[in-house]
Amino acid sequence: MNVWLEKQRHLIDFTLASLARRKTKNLGLLLAYAVLVFVLASLALFTQALRTEASFVLAGSPEVILQRMVAGRHDLIPPGYIEKIGRIRGVQKQEGRLWGYYYDPVVNANYTFMARPADEVASGSIMVGATLARARGLAAGNVISFRSYSGKLFAFKVSAVLSPDAELLSADLVLLSEADFRAFFEYPAGHYTDIALSVANPQEVRKVAEKLSTTLPDSRPILREEVLRTYQSVFDWREGIMLTVLAGAILAFAILSWEKASGLSAEEKREIGILKAIGWETSDVIRMKMWEGLLISLTAFLLGFIAAYVHVFYFGAAVFEPVLKGWAVLYPRFALVPTVDGLQIATLFFFTIFPYTAAVLVPIWRAAITDPDSVMRA
Amino acid sequence: MIELSQIKKAFNQGQPNEYWALNGIDLTLEAGKVTAFRGPSGSGKTTLLTLVGCLSRPTSGRVRFKGQDISGLPERFLTEIRRQSFGFIFQQFNLIKGLTALENVILPGFPTGRPRAELITAAEEIFEQLKLSHRRTAKVEWLSGGEQQRVAIARALINNPEVIIADEPTANLDTALSREFMAILEGFTAEGKTVLLTSHDPLVVESDAVHRVIGMRMAVWSTTKKPCFSSQQSSPY
Ligand SMILES: Nc1ncnc2c1ncn2[C@@H]1O[C@H](COP(=O)(O)OP(=O)(O)OP(=O)(O)O)[C@@H](O)[C@H]1O
Ligand SMILES: [Mg+2]
């Protein structure tokens, strides 16, 4: 075992020395490789983040949201509307929701204000999202005042900061009591922003929507499954692009590996012959080259992956912005939360490291099994 | 120590360019002696050394090393024997460019799994003997011919082999360096090592360091079983 370890150490030492000898060639290779991993990993991380995001957003949303339309625009739900819906089979719960956006000039950001029942949030107090709390330096017990759109100042006591687990959803959220909400926005009494309906049986959702449209012709039901489909089609479209890029990248990579492989120079072949003649086994030579391939591909993978992570989660995938801009129309306030999927890394790892190592090893193997006596005649 | 019986070696056997480089060689080589092979170019000297040194296998015939028949062994075992028992000094030195003298010398030690520190100590001792210590960290391509040769010799010695095989070791050396090399050879035999070498160089072949000279003749590529070598000068065995 010790001997084995010592042998591997020797092989790695030699490999490092070999790599250093062909510095420019190997650096170029490393760079090209890292760029490839970077592109692939950026795409992978980005889609993964979008997916996670979407599933988060949708998990918490009701099956049907009813909006009233006036001249084709989203308008307030007037009083008596909820009663007009009456009882529809399959609807478990229907409630008027109150929410709106508030622009905070202090940190130059938009918050989402949402009213909650009095038993959740007491009058005069608010609960804030973790991101918001961080931005304004808030903790539970603090008092903060917001100037309303009408110019009046309202002071609230922060009763809690929302759990950072659901940060994605609650990042910019301010929960307050219904009374406070109406007072702050001077929201007309009895009016709501929209109506949320929960439907237990997914099969009944369409029927519920149809009924809503007939009872309230000026309203528009938005189904969660439709939103889901929209997300899905956007994903599909993007995935098409990504597959194209992926295929291109893999092709480029194959060419790169082939180049490197067939570029097994006379010099390298001679070296393999020498090593064999002085007592290295075929397997030693192959192992040494495998270390070489692994060192290059692992370094490239790490570099590329870390760069991609930073790119996607700290710079919002800036490089891909032109392609991904469409997304912003669907969901304007999009902040990616770092999510890394093990399987995804494994796939990426396999598709980048394996072909390279294989492509490098095949010619090495061919060179390594040739008779060592060739070095005797140079 | 090394016995060859009825050794034949064909290249490209069965193809139109089939060529018999050796055609029926019988030979016994003694331990602790310097044996030189001499003969015209193409007479099969290098080929013979590769057979003895386990770098290749005969087409037919037996090679026995210390009583063991090694001609039929699979490559892995040949490599093992080569590593443990033979040290090679090649005509072109065959050093690996870009590595230092020291790194080149310890290369044959890697597959043995000897700790690096130990290998380096051993290498430094050899450098000391060969008066090359001051150049040990220089890249081999910067070394002079004589220095490169000594690096090649040092590399052949690192695993402390019983047999040293040198193919045209002095081909790239001037007279003074060739003499120095012969002196080093005498040192080997004093330590009980066996040396096999080939040379065209009269300075080498006629040197006192060489105990026995074997003349090789061109192999005839017909199948007639002529003896293809003659002993010109030999110590009793
Ligand atoms: N791999 C090979 N394929 C075909 N022919 C070969 C091969 N190796 C050697 N030969 C032939 O075998 C013959 C013997 O070669 P070898 O190298 O042993 O000669 P040598 O005695 O060492 O010659 P020199 O003094 O020029 O080094 C030569 O005619 C050579 O062309
Ligand atoms: Mg020769």
Side-chain angles (χ1 to χ4, degrees):
Chain A
M1 197 60 196
N2 250 337
V3 172
W4 185 86
L5 274 181
E6 196 63 42
K7 264 175 87 163
Q8 302 307 310
R9 249 200 68 199
H10 283 319
L11 289 179
I12 295 173
D13 277 341
F14 180 72
T15 306
L16 287 175
S18 296
L19 287 175
R21 280 185 301 150
R22 293 183 252 273
K23 220 172 282 160
T24 19
K25 187 184 165 204
N26 286 314
L27 275 181
L29 183 71
L30 187 73
L31 203 74
Y33 201 153
V35 166
L36 177 94
V37 174
F38 168 78
V39 172
L40 291 181
S42 289
L43 289 172
L45 286 174
F46 193 79
T47 17
Q48 179 62 24
L50 289 189
R51 261 176 211 290
T52 319
E53 205 96 350
S55 67
F56 260 133
V57 170
L58 293 171
S61 73
E63 281 79 13
V64 183
I65 290 172
L66 193 74
Q67 291 181 340
R68 191 168 84 103
M69 307 301 288
V70 172
R73 309 242 331 146
H74 178 192
D75 203 38
L76 301 188
I77 306 278
Y81 229 71
I82 299 179
E83 291 70 38
K84 238 196 265 178
I85 296 173
R87 288 199 37 180
I88 297 176
R89 260 195 56 180
V91 176
Q92 282 181 317
K93 205 172 77 177
Q94 58 205 52
E95 63 170 339
R97 301 197 308 176
L98 282 170
W99 55 270
Y101 298 130
Y102 172 76
Y103 175 71
D104 182 1
V106 177
V107 289
N108 210 354
N110 268 304
Y111 303 153
T112 304
F113 274 52
M114 192 169 229
R116 302 303 300 172
D119 58 321
E120 277 179 44
V121 188
S123 255
S125 67
I126 54 172
M127 291 189 202
V128 295
T131 313
L132 191 163
R134 227 177 293 127
R136 294 293 306 254
L138 293 177
N142 290 167
V143 172
I144 183 169
S145 40
F146 295 117
R147 187 174 295 279
S148 80
Y149 290 133
S150 59
K152 274 182 261 167
L153 212 56
F154 286 77
F156 297 104
K157 189 168 167 249
V158 177
S159 66
V161 174
L162 296 166
S163 147
D165 291 346
E167 180 155 358
L168 179 72
L169 282 175
S170 61
D172 62 349
L173 199 60
V174 175
L175 300 180
L176 68 178
S177 74
E178 185 174 335
D180 286 343
F181 184 92
R182 289 186 188 279
F184 187 77
F185 288 111
E186 295 178 359
Y187 219 83
H191 285 67
Y192 288 96
T193 313
D194 53 27
I195 301 171
L197 299 103
S198 25
V199 180
N201 184 351
Q203 250 106 55
E204 283 176 298
V205 170
R206 300 229 141 245
K207 224 171 254 157
V208 169
E210 261 165 48
K211 207 165 250 166
L212 285 172
S213 302
T214 35
T215 344
L216 304 167
D218 63 342
S219 72
R220 176 178 72 172
I222 299 166
L223 308 188
R224 186 169 74 175
E225 57 181 74
E226 256 163 28
V227 177
L228 198 72
R229 236 197 307 282
T230 316
Y231 275 84
Q232 204 57 57
S233 67
V234 169
F235 275 134
D236 288 349
W237 176 66
R238 269 165 225 292
E239 240 157 26
I241 293 179
M242 264 164 228
L243 277 179
T244 317
V245 174
L246 195 82
I250 287 175
L251 191 75
F253 190 55
I255 294 168
L256 180 87
S257 320
W258 181 250
E259 219 281 311
K260 153 95 183 169
S262 54
L264 191 63
S265 58
E267 177 73 18
E268 273 175 291
K269 277 188 201 144
R270 198 181 134 253
E271 282 182 17
I272 290 175
I274 295 173
L275 291 174
K276 284 199 72 177
I278 62 175
W280 285 42
E281 270 164 43
T282 306
S283 62
D284 291 328
V285 173
I286 291 175
R287 223 170 278 144
M288 182 267 288
K289 287 289 172 182
M290 207 154 78
W291 279 119
E292 189 179 309
L294 269 181
L295 278 175
I296 288 190
S297 49
L298 277 178
T299 316
F301 187 83
L302 274 182
L303 284 179
F305 194 83
I306 291 170
Y309 190 92
V310 171
H311 168 230
V312 170
F313 296 121
Y314 292 89
F315 295 101
V319 175
F320 302 142
E321 220 183 320
V323 186
L324 299 163
K325 232 178 204 146
W327 183 261
V329 178
L330 256 179
Y331 194 56
R333 298 159 301 106
F334 211 76
L336 290 173
V337 168
T339 46
V340 173
D341 179 38
L343 182 71
Q344 193 185 39
I345 295 183
T347 313
L348 200 63
F349 191 80
F350 183 81
F351 276 109
T352 49
I353 292 192
F354 181 77
Y356 177 76
T357 314
V360 169
L361 279 185
V362 170
I364 296 288
W365 178 75
R366 263 200 260 121
I369 56 168
T370 53
D371 278 342
D373 66 338
S374 56
V375 285
M376 292 288 270
R377 33 193 117 252
Chain B
M1 149 173 256
I2 299 164
E3 294 156 62
L4 308 178
S5 54
Q6 278 305 302
I7 292 299
K8 293 186 184 183
K9 178 72 178 179
F11 292 104
N12 308 317
Q13 198 181 15
Q15 286 163 34
N17 58 347
E18 175 177 299
Y19 185 80
W20 291 85
L22 296 173
N23 211 335
I25 294 220
D26 293 287
L27 185 61
T28 305
L29 300 167
E30 236 183 316
K33 296 278 151 67
V34 178
T35 306
F37 294 91
R38 167 158 84 171
S41 180
S43 58
K45 302 180 294 292
T46 300
T47 308
L48 188 64
L49 288 188
T50 62
L51 290 174
V52 173
C54 297
L55 284 165
S56 66
R57 272 177 288 219
T59 309
S60 73
R62 302 242 164 282
V63 181
R64 250 184 280 274
F65 177 65
K66 295 202 284 186
Q68 189 194 3
D69 185 355
I70 57 171
S71 34
L73 291 178
E75 197 200 300
R76 227 158 49 81
F77 293 94
L78 287 181
T79 307
E80 180 85 30
I81 294 174
R82 187 159 75 235
R83 185 165 64 223
Q84 285 176 352
S85 310
F86 293 96
F88 293 89
I89 304 165
F90 306 101
Q91 180 173 349
Q92 309 296 19
F93 305 147
N94 277 336
L95 299 173
I96 292 187
K97 291 199 193 91
L99 296 183
T100 66
L102 187 72
E103 283 167 333
N104 262 284
V105 168
I106 60 177
L107 274 181
F110 286 8
T112 63
R114 257 165 96 193
R116 194 183 173 83
E118 196 185 311
L119 284 173
I120 288 175
T121 321
E124 275 170 350
E125 270 169 33
I126 299 169
F127 276 130
E128 199 73 47
Q129 271 177 30
L130 298 177
K131 303 186 193 69
L132 201 64
S133 301
H134 60 295
R135 299 299 279 153
R136 68 179 184 282
T137 54
K139 294 227 153 71
V140 286
E141 61 266 38
W142 308 127
L143 298 179
S144 74
E147 285 167 338
Q148 287 190 29
Q149 162 144 62
R150 278 176 284 168
V151 175
I153 296 172
R155 187 179 63 184
L157 294 177
I158 189 75
N159 284 345
N160 196 24
E162 295 160 71
V163 185
I164 288 157
I165 290 181
D167 195 16
E168 310 276 357
T170 59
N172 293 314
L173 301 183
D174 62 24
T175 317
L177 284 169
S178 299
R179 288 224 169 81
E180 208 174 298
F181 177 73
M182 297 318 288
I184 292 168
L185 283 192
E186 283 186 309
F188 291 164
T189 39
E191 287 172 32
K193 293 189 194 306
T194 309
V195 179
L196 305 179
L197 59 88
T198 69
S199 189
H200 294 290
D201 189 350
L203 189 144
V204 172
V205 185
E206 283 151 27
S207 142
D208 289 341
V210 175
H211 300 103
R212 183 181 175 197
V213 177
I214 295 173
M216 310 253 315
R217 282 195 268 123
M218 290 300 286
V220 183
W221 53 278
S222 67
T223 44
T224 49
K225 288 181 185 166
K226 285 188 207 160
C228 286
F229 69 94
S230 63
S231 254
Q232 290 189 338
Q233 160 201 336
S234 69
S235 50
Y237 60 91

